[in-house]
Amino acid sequence: DVFLADQGLLPVQTARAAHVVVTRFEPELYVPPQPTDAVARASGAQRDEALYFDVMEQRLVAGLGRDNEPIYLDLSFLDGRRGAHANISGVSGIATKTTYATFLLHSMFTSGVLGAEAANTKALVFNVKGEDLLFLDRPNNRLTEEQRAEYAQLQLPATAFESVGIWAPVRRGADLAMPDTGSRQEGVVSYFWTIKELVRERLLRFLFAEADDERSQVADLIARVEVHLDREAEDVLDHPGTLRIPDADGSGRVLRSFDELCELIAARLEEDEHGGWRGPIAQGTVSAFLRRLDAARFHYGHLIKGADAADIEAHRIDTRENQVTVIDIHTLHDRAKRFVVGVVVKRMFDHKERSGNARPLTFLVLDELNKYAPREGWSPIKEVLLDIAERGRSLGIILIGAQQTASEIERRIVANSAIRVVGRLDSAEAERSEYRFLSPNARQRAAILKPGSMMLQQPELPVALQIHFPFPAWATRVSEVAEQGDDPFARFD
């Protein structure tokens, strides 16, 4: 019959049915629409009212809707006043999670929504994989006029980030503090930590950042070693980066390298098993501790400097200089990545806690969140990230986390995220309970989203909106770096 009707040989009548998802009732009379009721596409003030834009005091540009008009976020649900944190999920390489996170930063810093606070607001971004985030300060040479028009539609400048500081790990085996980077060489500062910082700030626990049980014997032994090191170590005036450990006979041993620190710890743990640093800990636990310590020496011992550390202050990560600080960890082993993330985030959290002020805000952008805050187990990094998720709002630390699967993240981190963004999802992942804020149709649509398209959920709107955001105006790889004039040496100035 369908084919006959198409050929005009069979008279038929066509019926259409519409499934209406209501975003807002004004006034609040819950009466369903009736057949033959007039329907019109909302625009202008009516569109703003339907999407609650009219009640947002500070509107942050979040992208373009399917009608090619701007979509906004209520900033009060991101900056901590009524809610905080954003969580972005999606398939790796397709969902463009990190690119959307940087677009949100670009929107905040350039749209004027932060007002006078914009100058002091900071962003700390970890470059976890590839070189995507190492060129935020370079214009993108692939930006077309059509894409520039989208920025104009959003009333945003199509420019790169203006104030960016890039830090990379010190190169393994280098006498000088040379950064270990790939294509990006100039404008990069290397970072490392000293033995003194490791001991005095009790950072040893971050060398053992694998998910474990907080009540385990290994965790207890780590805490005991940290206490004994901090209590017995003496400062060395000639070498501010290292420490001196007194011996029983009154002499002392200067720890000139991380290897020497590891050897000292092993020697002290092999002493009388009923006293000293080891205490009542079983031999099997001590062996497990030493195996992990040896792994740390191999994978990221070069990040801990001793007496050979030169110009320590110049190589200590400082987020005050620039508006956006990028910390590159993509060349490091997974164990080393966890160490760097844990130490940097812990320092930032402690600093904000001591200051006691929520302003100025600090935005923390971290991809592959499932590695640092997995659902199962405990680790010092997970503990810090949980603190940020639960108390960061009052301290002015806003977490913008991204991962492939929200179902593998600690539930409390996802639950404390007021803004949730979903790119393309695996069909099985889309059915997990973490995505119940999406309607069944939206979950099906999420499985076919194209790169640059996202589903955005915020507290005031009862439904998620499909949005897309412009192609980045900043370079995401070395091939996209725009040349600066005709002078080939201009980029070195």
Side-chain angles (χ1 to χ4, degrees):
D1 289 352
V2 174
F3 297 108
L4 292 175
D6 184 56
Q7 297 170 14
L9 301 177
L10 182 67
V12 296
Q13 290 183 335
T14 302
R16 291 183 175 88
H19 184 192
V20 179
V21 179
V22 179
T23 60
R24 189 173 181 179
F25 285 95
E26 289 292 345
E28 289 187 329
L29 300 175
Y30 299 102
V31 179
Q34 300 297 318
T36 73
D37 281 356
V39 177
R41 180 187 293 272
S43 60
Q46 288 185 335
R47 179 180 183 272
D48 290 349
E49 188 176 6
L51 298 178
Y52 290 83
F53 296 161
D54 61 322
V55 297
M56 296 181 181
E57 294 183 7
Q58 289 180 286
R59 303 189 304 183
L60 173 66
V61 175
L64 291 163
R66 300 184 69 191
D67 57 358
N68 233 25
E69 293 292 326
I71 296 292
Y72 299 98
L73 284 177
D74 189 341
L75 186 64
S76 65
F77 284 105
L78 187 61
D79 67 3
R81 285 173 293 167
R82 300 168 66 187
H85 314 308
N87 188 264
I88 308 173
S89 302
V91 177
S92 179
I94 299 176
T96 55
K97 304 181 293 295
T98 309
T99 307
Y100 185 68
T102 51
F103 172 77
L104 282 181
L105 293 181
H106 181 268
S107 176
M108 273 188 290
F109 290 144
T110 61
S111 64
V113 68
L114 294 175
E117 291 186 357
N120 295 321
T121 301
K122 307 296 183 183
L124 177 61
V125 184
F126 285 95
N127 184 58
V128 177
K129 53 190 176 184
E131 299 181 348
D132 296 5
L133 303 175
L134 297 183
F135 302 96
L136 293 181
D137 57 338
R138 301 297 177 83
N140 196 322
N141 61 15
R142 296 186 180 179
L143 201 65
T144 65
E145 290 303 319
E146 182 180 354
Q147 291 161 347
R148 292 181 184 276
E150 289 186 333
Y151 280 94
Q153 177 76 359
L154 295 171
Q155 297 185 352
L156 296 176
T159 58
F161 288 81
E162 292 184 0
S163 176
V164 180
I166 300 176
W167 298 76
V170 63
R171 186 170 299 176
R172 185 186 296 272
D175 295 331
L176 301 176
M178 298 177 61
D180 185 10
T181 56
S183 303
R184 181 72 187 255
Q185 295 294 326
E186 70 278 1
V188 182
V189 183
S190 65
Y191 62 80
F192 56 78
W193 288 268
T194 65
I195 291 176
K196 182 177 180 179
E197 290 172 322
L198 189 74
V199 172
R200 295 299 185 212
E201 299 179 32
R202 300 195 179 183
L203 305 179
L204 188 70
R205 65 192 65 186
F206 293 104
L207 297 175
F208 304 83
E210 298 90 345
D212 209 336
D213 188 345
E214 186 178 7
R215 299 163 297 179
S216 71
Q217 291 287 307
V218 173
D220 183 34
L221 182 57
I222 294 170
R224 291 179 62 87
V225 171
E226 284 183 331
V227 170
H228 281 286
L229 276 173
D230 189 24
R231 182 185 302 162
E232 298 181 19
E234 300 173 351
D235 294 345
V236 179
L237 298 179
D238 296 340
H239 300 287
T242 191
L243 295 169
R244 176 180 176 273
I245 301 292
D247 293 328
D249 58 2
S251 61
R253 177 180 181 184
V254 177
L255 303 175
R256 298 184 173 277
S257 67
F258 182 59
D259 284 339
E260 290 187 8
L261 174 63
C262 294
E263 291 166 4
L264 171 78
I265 294 173
R268 292 297 173 91
L269 290 178
E270 294 298 333
E271 291 175 358
D272 181 12
E273 63 181 42
H274 297 295
W277 292 17
R278 175 174 171 176
I281 303 297
Q283 179 59 41
T285 303
V286 173
S287 299
F289 173 89
L290 293 177
R291 284 196 301 271
R292 295 189 187 184
L293 190 62
D294 282 337
R297 294 170 65 178
F298 177 75
H299 291 300
Y300 43 101
H302 63 290
L303 297 179
I304 312 297
K305 297 288 186 180
D308 60 337
D311 199 6
I312 296 171
E313 291 299 324
H315 299 279
R316 181 176 288 133
I317 295 174
D318 186 0
T319 60
R320 296 170 299 177
E321 285 288 321
N322 303 98
Q323 193 170 51
V324 179
T325 301
V326 179
I327 301 178
D328 181 30
I329 58 176
H330 85 280
T331 60
L332 298 175
H333 186 272
D334 278 352
R335 291 173 181 263
K337 289 180 181 179
R338 286 192 285 265
F339 171 76
V340 174
V341 171
V343 172
V344 172
V345 174
K346 175 64 174 173
R347 275 184 170 177
M348 178 185 67
F349 187 83
D350 290 344
H351 172 73
K352 293 289 285 186
E353 204 168 27
R354 287 192 300 269
S355 70
N357 295 319
R359 283 339 193 235
L361 296 174
T362 299
F363 289 89
L364 171 62
V365 180
L366 181 58
D367 196 4
E368 296 186 355
L369 199 57
N370 53 295
K371 287 186 177 180
Y372 310 105
R375 175 157 298 188
E376 304 297 333
W378 172 91
S379 71
I381 301 176
K382 181 178 177 179
E383 184 179 30
V384 175
L385 291 175
L386 266 175
D387 265 348
I388 291 175
E390 295 176 342
R391 297 197 294 132
R393 172 182 170 184
S394 61
L395 298 175
I397 303 177
I398 310 301
L399 175 63
I400 302 179
Q403 67 285 318
Q404 294 186 42
T405 52
S407 60
E408 297 180 2
I409 304 297
E410 166 61 43
R411 289 184 177 89
R412 286 174 288 174
I413 291 181
V414 178
N416 279 285
S417 299
I419 307 298
R420 301 190 189 183
V421 184
V422 172
R424 185 188 293 189
L425 289 176
D426 176 78
S427 300
E429 174 69 11
E431 297 302 320
R432 304 294 292 266
S433 59
E434 286 74 18
Y435 306 97
R436 292 291 170 82
F437 63 88
L438 297 174
S439 67
N441 285 338
R443 286 200 292 270
Q444 292 179 357
R445 188 182 301 168
I448 58 174
L449 287 175
K450 297 187 296 183
S453 294
M454 319 290 281
M455 303 294 293
L456 172 68
Q457 173 69 39
Q458 55 180 317
E460 284 182 326
L461 269 73
V463 296
L465 301 178
Q466 181 176 335
I467 63 171
H468 69 274
F469 60 97
F471 190 74
W474 49 92
T476 60
R477 56 181 63 90
V478 66
S479 60
E480 294 177 351
V481 176
E483 292 295 333
Q484 301 179 7
D486 297 326
D487 182 4
F489 298 100
R491 63 194 181 101
F492 295 103
D493 292 342

